[in-house]
Structures are given as structure tokens and as C-alpha cells.
Amino acid sequence: MDVAMRATLVGDEVVQTPFGKFLVNDRDLIESTIKAGTVWDGPGFLQVIAREHVDPGTTVLDIGANVGAWTIWLAWIGTFRIVAVEPVPQTLSRLKANLDLNKDTCADRVVVVPEAGWGFRARLSIKGVYDPTNQGGTRLHMDEDGDIQGVPLDDYRGVLFGKRVSLIKIDTEGSELHVLHGL
């Protein structure tokens, strides 16, 4: 059984958007905008910035990749490499399902890091209750019994980033400073 099949929830459907196929559920805020054919990026400036600053042969870091709408859009426009960082297990499953649905576009461009960007190595867990209707609102906090690994993303620099990162998007629900300390 492929990743897309394992990641399904009641009410899920696969939809075709202008930039790829996605497993969506109308109950989730971000996935409902994907179903409408748009990339969720808050005020709508990420696509404009990416078109201006993503150079051939460079890498984009998508930290807090969520279900992969922006990651897949970046691959669709021809970005050389996208490092999609998504640590929340339920959301990571959705991201992998969407990458699987778009493997012709993403297989040689997207690298998934299933850990949280953090200032130092730490165990983390979800703060509060995971809400499947707002996957993008999931927050993490330090918890020595947590099941999510936090890592300085500079640990990946030599392997994934190199010296040519064009753009870094960080959307980590209050953990942005932790991410920056690890870069």
C-alpha cells in the first residue's frame, strides 16, 4: 500500500490543482484552500518572492512544510532542490502522500527532513491537542519524553543545503526563533 493510501482520513479526496495533485480534506483549513487551487501562504507573497529570488541550481528550505502545497509548487516551477522540514507525524504522513501523488515533479527535487528545526538537539512534543482541522496550527514544545526530534538544521548543511540557499520559509507556529538559532 502506498503512502497516499495510508494517510487517508474520512472525507479525504484527491484533487487536481494547477500545480499538482493533492490529498485533501475539506475539514482542514489549508487543505480546503489547496482544493480551491491555491497555495496557502498567508497574505499571498511567498510565490512572488520565490519567483524573484529562486535561482537555478539553488535550494529552498521549507521549514514547517505542512502538507506540501508550497513545496510542490516550488518543484512545479522548476526549483532545483527543496528541503521540506515537517516533524509532526500526522502532517508528515500527509506531506509524503502528496509528494507521492506528484512524484514525477518532486522525486528528484524534494528532500524531506522528518525532524523539527531547533536551536539544539532536543526532544519535543505537540503542545496541546493535535487538531486535524488545522494541521498548520500545531505547536511544539520541549518535552524530554517527547516523540519528535528537534535538531539544528545546520547539521544538514553539508549534505542538503550546500552554500546556495536562495530562500528560507519558516512557519513553525511560535518556534521560529528556535529554528533560526539552529541555522
Side-chain angles (χ1 to χ4, degrees):
M1 183 183 303
D2 68 9
V3 175
M5 295 305 294
R6 289 193 308 258
T8 58
L9 300 170
V10 173
D12 282 352
E13 63 180 304
V14 174
V15 298
Q16 178 69 52
T17 72
F19 55 96
K21 291 180 184 175
F22 290 87
L23 179 66
V24 299
N25 192 302
D26 285 338
R27 295 181 309 155
D28 181 74
L29 176 65
I30 292 171
E31 291 181 10
S32 64
T33 64
I34 295 168
K35 183 177 180 180
T38 61
V39 175
W40 173 271
D41 70 354
F45 59 84
L46 287 176
Q47 291 168 297
V48 174
I49 291 171
R51 288 189 193 276
E52 290 290 320
H53 298 287
V54 175
D55 302 318
T58 60
T59 298
V60 173
L61 305 182
D62 185 2
I63 305 169
N66 197 278
V67 299
W70 200 59
T71 299
I72 293 166
W73 179 83
L74 285 165
W76 178 73
I77 66 165
T79 304
F80 171 71
R81 177 177 293 142
I82 305 101
V83 178
V85 180
E86 181 53 58
V88 177
Q90 300 91 323
T91 308
L92 178 63
S93 180
R94 305 288 283 188
L95 169 63
K96 287 180 178 179
N98 287 328
L99 291 172
D100 190 49
L101 288 168
N102 293 281
K103 59 185 159 201
D104 290 345
T105 304
C106 298
D108 62 343
R109 297 177 187 270
V110 178
V111 177
V112 175
V113 174
E115 299 172 310
W118 209 254
F120 49 88
R121 291 197 168 275
R123 300 304 301 168
L124 310 170
S125 63
I126 294 172
K127 187 172 190 171
V129 177
Y130 175 79
D131 181 359
T133 66
N134 185 13
Q135 295 179 77
T138 304
R139 298 185 69 173
L140 301 176
H141 69 101
M142 288 181 40
D143 177 358
E144 52 185 62
D145 295 324
D147 59 352
I148 296 170
Q149 179 66 49
V151 298
L153 292 175
D154 263 359
D155 288 359
Y156 289 98
R157 182 174 179 210
V159 178
L160 300 179
F161 309 169
K163 295 181 180 179
R164 298 199 59 201
V165 173
S166 291
L167 185 62
I168 301 172
K169 181 219 75 176
I170 305 172
D171 183 2
T172 57
E173 299 306 308
S175 298
E176 287 81 5
L177 283 177
H178 288 288
V179 172
L180 288 171
H181 284 290
L183 285 170

